[in-house]
Amino acid sequence: MADITNIDKSKLPKHVAIIMDGNGRWAKQKGKLRIFGHQNGVQSVRDATEAATELGIQFLTLYAFSTENWNRPQSEVDALMELLVSTIHKEVNTLNKNQIKLAAIGDIKSLPKNCQAELADAIQQTSKNKRLTLVLALSYSSKWEIIKAVKEISEKVKSKELSVADINEDLFSNFLCTNKIPDPELLIRTSGELRISNFLLWQIAYSELYFTEKLWPDFRKEDFFDAILAYQNRERRFGKTSEQVKGN
Ligand code: FPP
């Protein structure tokens, strides 16, 4: 297992994104209700956030609730929303103490009113922090985000604020929820599932993917360091040959 001293601080990703998966299975293994897994997942959120802060990573995005998660049993959705509200409320002081800025992406207006209010309050209270930006993906899905961008661009073409010739990768990226955030160089998924599940599809075009068998509530700082170490051992070619990359 890696510890922080194994990591080359000059080769860090700026942005790490995580699909936190396996809370339900973790709880089931223990003969508990699914929400018990989500509750224990909060400590893993703390661990990943601390690890990213200690390393000096600038952005950490966590897939906390997908558009598709609304289809779960109402009792689980309600419990997850309550957990989000209480966790955000409890952690604001810690975020400020560690200079962490909170941000959110997704269809935030679809969240319950108390969740929106708690989130807006925490975002405002942490807005001046400069160390790590912790981005929560809430009621988020990549297809939703892309369709939203297409509609907004289409409206601007219709009103002649933009022409079709203006549309390129940079312009399109500016209409995504992540417009102020660099693309993640590393995407981690826990629980052994080998899927992207509608997360940051545009933004991960060239991300390194890292899958671990660990269920999210078991994910500790050392697991985060392991993922960073694996990333540092990859050769990122961006379509070039290995010889070209090494020659650069
Ligand atoms: C996936 O596990 C996890 C989620 C859908 C929710 C993640 C939420 C938390 C860790 C709670 C708090 C988060 C924050 C940011 C305060 P799953 O339920 O899909 O697990 P399974 O695949 O084993 O069923």
Side-chain angles (χ1 to χ4, degrees):
M1 265 219 161
D3 69 42
I4 196 160
T5 58
N6 300 121
I7 291 169
D8 179 352
K9 292 276 188 74
S10 70
K11 270 175 64 184
L12 287 173
K14 279 200 183 68
H15 182 182
V16 177
I18 308 184
I19 302 175
M20 310 181 286
D21 195 15
N23 295 351
R25 276 163 284 165
W26 186 90
K28 199 170 172 197
Q29 281 173 6
K30 298 185 157 38
K32 305 274 191 186
L33 295 175
R34 296 176 57 81
I35 187 63
F36 184 68
H38 299 314
Q39 286 161 346
N40 279 274
V42 174
Q43 184 53 46
S44 309
V45 170
R46 286 195 201 99
D47 265 57
T49 308
E50 273 177 33
T53 312
E54 279 172 28
L55 283 173
I57 285 168
Q58 293 172 30
F59 295 91
L60 176 67
T61 300
L62 303 177
Y63 204 5
F65 194 87
S66 72
T67 309
E68 290 77 17
N69 286 153
W70 291 115
N71 298 322
R72 291 194 172 191
Q74 193 59 43
S75 57
E76 184 175 346
V77 171
D78 292 346
L80 262 170
M81 290 299 147
E82 268 316 302
L83 183 63
L84 273 165
V85 170
S86 64
T87 306
I88 294 168
H89 186 78
K90 275 191 222 145
E91 300 293 330
V92 173
N93 287 343
T94 314
L95 293 176
N96 278 330
K97 216 181 322 162
N98 292 289
Q99 280 292 304
I100 299 166
K101 175 176 169 170
L102 191 68
I105 56 170
D107 188 9
I108 302 304
K109 288 197 194 72
S110 68
L111 298 172
K113 287 274 177 289
N114 65 331
C115 193
Q116 288 185 47
E118 199 63 60
L119 193 61
D121 192 42
I123 289 174
Q124 197 273 325
Q125 284 194 55
T126 61
S127 61
K128 299 215 162 56
N129 295 338
K130 294 265 180 309
R131 217 166 152 199
L132 170 79
T133 301
L134 175 63
V135 185
L136 299 183
L138 293 167
S139 192
Y140 173 87
S141 81
S142 204
K143 287 189 177 178
W144 164 83
E145 176 188 42
I146 288 170
I147 296 289
K148 184 171 93 60
V150 168
K151 284 184 179 166
E152 286 172 15
I153 293 169
S154 306
E155 287 297 339
K156 293 211 184 293
V157 170
K158 206 163 92 184
S159 66
K160 303 211 169 355
E161 277 173 81
L162 285 176
S163 74
V164 171
D166 293 328
I167 302 172
N168 57 29
E169 289 184 16
D170 283 345
L171 180 125
F172 193 78
S173 298
N174 283 334
F175 282 83
L176 297 175
C177 304
T178 48
N179 59 13
K180 294 184 187 72
I181 304 172
D183 289 343
E185 296 94 331
L186 173 64
L187 172 69
I188 301 171
R189 183 174 188 144
T190 60
S191 91
E193 303 290 352
L194 308 178
R195 283 191 294 280
I196 301 302
S197 300
N198 215 347
F199 189 44
L200 303 175
L201 298 178
W202 172 276
Q203 297 88 338
I204 61 165
Y206 271 99
S207 303
E208 295 298 326
L209 308 182
Y210 178 86
F211 298 100
T212 166
E213 292 290 324
K214 279 272 172 92
L215 302 177
W216 180 248
D218 288 330
F219 191 86
R220 297 278 76 91
K221 268 186 187 180
E222 295 70 30
D223 298 300
F224 189 91
F225 296 144
D226 275 349
I228 301 294
L229 209 59
Y231 163 83
Q232 294 191 332
N233 288 322
R234 303 256 180 106
E235 182 181 62
R236 306 194 75 211
R237 291 201 290 274
F238 301 100
K240 293 184 181 174
T241 66
S242 184
E243 289 71 24
Q244 283 176 307
V245 173
K246 285 185 180 124
N248 282 343

